[in-house]
Amino acid sequence: MHSAPSAPPTLLQTAGSRLRPALLLAGLYLGLGLASRLALWACFGREAGVGLSALLWILPAGGAADAVQTLYFLLPLVLYLGLKPGPASGRNGLPHLATFLCVLGWLVLAGCEYFFFEEFNARFNLVSVNYLMYPTEVAGDIWTEYPVVKLILASALIGGLAAWWFRAAWASALAAPVDFRARSRVLAVYALLLAAAILWVPANLLGRSHNRVANELAANGPSSFFRALRTSEIDYHAYYATRPPAENLAQLKAQLAPGGGTFTRLAEGRLDRQFPARPGGLGRLNVVLISSESFGAEFSRLYGSERDWTPQFDQFAKKGLWFRHVYATGTRTVRGLEAITNSLPPVPTEAILRRPGHGSMATLGSVLRGLGYRSTFMYGGYGYFDNMNDFFSSNGYEVLDRTNLKTTPRFENIWGVSDEDLFDMALAHADTLATAKAPFFLHIMNTSNHKPFTFRPGLEAIGVKASKGGRESGVRYADYAQGQFLRQAERHAWFRDTLFIVIADHGARVYGRQEIPLRTYEIPLMLYSPAHLAPGRSDGLMSQMDLAPTLMGLLGLPYTAPWFGQDVLHTPEAGRVMLFNHNDQVALMKDGVVTTLGLHGGKVSKSYDPASDAYRPLPAGVNLDALAIAYYQTAYELFTARKLD
């Protein structure tokens, strides 16, 4: 009597027997994601207003995001287990190596995410993508500032233990006699799940809170990184809300008209405005502009801070013209340089310095060069970083960076030479330019207020530690060096006929629950020329984008440029526009209303009170959608069409 043939294994039985190591690794990754999410919430989420009750949706949403990511991470292992015939014989170290590398990589990534969240209050985003383009600077910064060796060693130890613990699971899985048909069914289901994830599960699918940090906590870090990588330089029209270009131009003409000037090329779809010479202007003064790294208003007592880390800035600002309510357009140096130099909105998602087609534009340097100035951009680091050398040299500037320093620096780190050395080089270069009897424009970009915050000894009396002094030492040192520069400049013959400008490139850190937390965008600005400019204060709103036209108006020089900013000294305070970028979001603020544009045509409007940093919902239909779209779409179109010359 013959026994009945055994039934073929079910799909679950096949998956359980052959894919057991992959399933265990998936569980390990989900557990790591849970632990990491709780740690991020405890350290950073609570201070951003993410309450304990929010974890009731953040943890399940985050678990789902992590589960989707495991489909990508474990694809090679699933293919290996699904395609390898069994039972296997002999010794095979590949599975154990794979386990070790998975656990090692996941733990190192979790550590990196923690430190990134500490700095940027976000999962991996466009900043992480941009930084990876410059591995020398970033690797040096990370190596100096963070416990890299300890993190890797601890992760390797845990990875080795995991590989040892997984031995039995791998042996059992590879010994299981599963025929090809059964394995094929499992692979087909996995392929369907992966395809569904690719086609229908975006990285931010479950991020639906009004609190930005809560959405970041719910997200998966590697998934957020790859989303940022895909959208790092995208077509505006494919992802953001649009309107007919003619309607956009009409909006912008009406918005810019109070600032004066004559539109000369509207018929060509351009925003060029011609400004005549202004009687009573300061004239052809030399201009020295310092864009100071991470020099946020939050550190200045003059701007209401209790920290008082910028006494030099505050002292000189009181002797000059200072601006109380100035906003950066972004959170990175390239955004600050873009706004200051080109008076251009921060088009999503990549700054124009890093985009092709950025040459021969009407920059502040090229406009002044057309008026007889000699324009120079000076950077304390290597100017290839963020494409600075190429951008400025192709837009009317002579470029000098750390390679042009002829003396041994007082100190240096991976980001650049000391600010003191940079300013010494600037003084010497100004002396050389002054002999030509023509006005000069120096734009100086410093670097010392940056991690790893290492400085020379001997400055402890002003609160600057040689190492491990953190942001306070960085800000205090930048302030000290700027003050020394201004005092040393007084000894030079060209000082009397020079206008000095100090402005931050951006604030020190982005934090807060909003998609674009505006409080962190506030920056200081002062203009100083004791022989020509009386002390004063301007309380109206101002953007970095307004600096170039404001400078030209103050000098009273005639010019024509396609700039989006306004001369705030000769424009009514009411109705001014502020523009912002954060990651893939852009926003416009006017008269207390903030409209944010996001991917896939998203538009959200809220009211904003700068005094209390409070956001509130608006009645239906109250928004600035049309004006926001007009600014960003038009800026993108003019740039890509090369109509900003």
Side-chain angles (χ1 to χ4, degrees):
M1 183 175 180
H2 298 286
S3 60
S6 59
T10 66
L11 186 67
L12 290 177
Q13 289 173 330
T14 302
S17 58
R18 179 48 74 97
L19 298 186
R20 186 164 180 261
L23 293 173
L24 289 173
L25 280 171
L28 187 62
Y29 183 72
L30 293 176
L32 177 61
L34 174 63
S36 175
R37 201 162 274 111
L38 288 171
L40 293 175
W41 170 79
C43 295
F44 313 115
R46 291 184 297 174
E47 69 179 12
V50 182
L52 183 63
S53 61
L55 292 179
L56 295 176
W57 74 267
I58 288 174
L59 295 182
D66 294 344
V68 170
Q69 188 60 34
T70 61
L71 293 173
Y72 297 97
F73 277 146
L74 297 180
L75 177 60
L77 287 182
V78 171
L79 288 175
Y80 173 78
L81 289 165
L83 296 176
K84 185 175 180 61
S89 59
R91 302 186 65 178
N92 184 359
L94 183 61
H96 311 304
L97 177 62
T99 301
F100 171 77
L101 292 177
C102 279
V103 176
L104 170 67
W106 292 342
L107 288 171
V108 170
L109 271 177
C112 292
E113 273 201 275
Y114 177 89
F115 295 122
F116 190 86
F117 214 106
E118 179 183 38
E119 179 73 11
F120 298 103
N121 226 207
R123 298 284 188 177
F124 296 134
N125 56 22
L126 280 173
V127 174
S128 63
V129 173
N130 290 339
Y131 274 6
L132 284 181
M133 305 300 175
Y134 302 96
T136 301
E137 285 82 355
V138 175
D141 184 22
I142 292 173
W143 185 266
T144 306
E145 181 68 16
Y146 300 108
V148 177
V149 174
K150 292 180 181 178
L151 174 62
I152 293 176
L153 289 177
S155 300
L157 176 61
I158 297 172
L161 292 173
W164 180 85
W165 185 67
F166 270 65
R167 289 179 308 159
W170 277 108
S172 174
L174 293 175
V178 182
D179 62 40
F180 180 73
R181 181 178 297 179
R183 287 182 279 123
S184 297
R185 291 201 304 269
V186 172
L187 289 178
V189 172
Y190 195 93
L192 288 174
L193 291 173
L194 186 60
I198 294 171
L199 293 174
W200 297 306
V201 185
N204 62 340
L205 176 66
L206 300 176
R208 291 295 181 264
S209 173
H210 294 298
N211 187 318
R212 180 187 62 84
V213 177
N215 291 332
E216 296 286 354
L217 291 171
N220 175 273
S223 178
S224 297
F225 173 82
F226 286 111
R227 177 174 181 261
L229 188 64
R230 290 194 306 272
T231 59
S232 62
E233 189 181 317
I234 58 177
D235 178 25
Y236 177 93
H237 303 86
Y239 286 88
Y240 294 86
T242 61
R243 300 178 74 245
E247 294 181 13
N248 290 336
L249 280 177
Q251 285 269 346
L252 291 173
K253 180 184 178 183
Q255 178 63 38
L256 296 174
T262 302
F263 290 96
T264 59
R265 305 179 72 174
L266 276 177
E268 303 171 47
R270 297 177 55 131
L271 284 173
D272 303 54
R273 284 182 290 167
Q274 183 180 60
F275 292 85
R278 185 184 297 277
L282 301 183
R284 287 158 51 89
L285 297 181
N286 304 312
V287 178
V288 176
L289 190 164
I290 302 170
S291 49
S292 192
E293 171 69 43
S294 303
F295 201 67
E298 63 194 287
F299 307 120
S300 167
R301 179 159 291 178
L302 197 62
Y303 286 79
S305 172
E306 297 180 357
R307 286 184 270 201
D308 194 22
W309 294 354
T310 63
Q312 299 298 318
F313 175 91
D314 294 358
Q315 176 185 337
F316 281 100
K318 292 174 184 177
K319 298 177 184 177
L321 175 61
W322 67 285
F323 297 77
R324 178 62 181 87
H325 299 292
V326 185
Y327 286 89
T329 60
T331 60
R332 293 203 59 228
T333 296
V334 283
R335 287 301 190 183
L337 294 176
E338 168 188 76
I340 293 168
T341 304
N342 289 78
S343 186
L344 187 72
V347 292
T349 49
E350 188 66 273
I352 62 170
L353 276 74
R354 297 167 55 87
R355 290 177 180 263
H358 59 229
S360 302
M361 293 190 292
T363 61
L364 178 56
S366 65
V367 168
L368 287 172
R369 183 178 286 269
L371 293 168
Y373 281 71
R374 296 184 64 181
S375 300
T376 304
F377 175 75
M378 307 184 73
Y379 180 54
Y382 293 115
Y384 65 78
F385 184 76
D386 273 339
N387 215 34
M388 293 183 202
N389 280 355
D390 185 65
F391 173 79
F392 284 99
S393 63
S394 63
N395 281 291
Y397 294 78
E398 177 186 5
V399 177
L400 302 175
D401 66 5
R402 71 189 295 176
T403 63
N404 299 101
L405 184 67
K406 304 303 182 184
T407 59
T408 301
R410 294 171 175 84
F411 67 88
E412 60 185 325
N413 58 36
I414 195 65
W415 290 106
V417 299
S418 77
D419 289 357
E420 293 168 275
D421 292 298
L422 176 63
F423 288 135
D424 284 349
M425 185 165 66
L427 290 170
H429 188 61
D431 287 342
T432 301
L433 294 176
T435 62
K437 305 302 181 183
F440 59 80
F441 168 47
L442 297 186
H443 183 165
I444 305 168
M445 180 71 229
N446 63 11
T447 62
S448 294
N449 182 20
H450 199 296
K451 287 182 177 181
F453 300 119
T454 52
F455 308 97
R456 66 178 175 88
L459 299 174
E460 290 79 8
I462 61 170
V464 179
K465 298 178 181 179
S467 63
K468 299 182 180 179
R471 179 65 69 186
E472 179 176 356
S473 287
V475 173
R476 287 187 180 276
Y477 176 75
D479 181 63
Y480 163 79
Q482 288 159 187
Q484 288 291 98
F485 171 68
L486 292 174
R487 270 184 280 275
Q488 291 171 6
E490 293 176 0
R491 308 190 192 116
H492 294 252
W494 46 264
F495 172 81
R496 186 183 186 283
D497 290 326
T498 300
L499 174 65
F500 296 88
I501 304 170
V502 180
I503 187 172
D505 61 346
H506 55 80
R509 178 172 171 257
V510 177
Y511 54 89
R513 65 178 65 187
Q514 299 299 323
E515 290 294 341
I516 300 184
L518 299 183
R519 176 60 61 83
T520 64
Y521 285 69
E522 295 182 26
I523 57 174
L525 167 63
M526 73 157 179
L527 280 60
Y528 176 70
S529 184
H532 299 274
L533 193 61
R537 167 175 169 166
S538 175
D539 285 324
L541 290 178
M542 181 179 180
S543 169
Q544 278 176 323
M545 192 177 66
D546 298 322
L547 180 59
T550 299
L551 169 62
M552 296 304 295
L554 182 64
L555 297 177
L557 302 178
Y559 73 98
T560 301
W563 291 345
F564 285 72
Q566 297 278 54
D567 173 3
V568 299
L569 297 177
H570 300 96
T571 303
E573 291 186 11
R576 291 182 185 174
V577 161
M578 304 292 107
L579 300 171
F580 310 96
N581 161 270
H582 182 222
N583 204 18
D584 52 35
Q585 308 259 357
V586 290
L588 175 145
M589 179 172 71
K590 177 182 177 181
D591 296 333
V593 175
V594 178
T595 291
T596 302
L597 306 180
L599 292 172
H600 310 296
K603 302 184 292 291
V604 176
S605 292
K606 299 178 182 178
S607 69
Y608 177 64
D609 177 20
S612 61
D613 193 34
Y615 298 78
R616 294 181 178 83
L618 289 166
V622 178
N623 60 67
L624 295 173
D625 294 356
L627 187 59
I629 293 169
Y631 268 95
Y632 290 106
Q633 181 184 337
T634 304
Y636 176 85
E637 290 171 348
L638 291 179
F639 175 75
T640 54
R642 303 197 176 186
K643 292 183 177 181
L644 293 173
D645 56 326

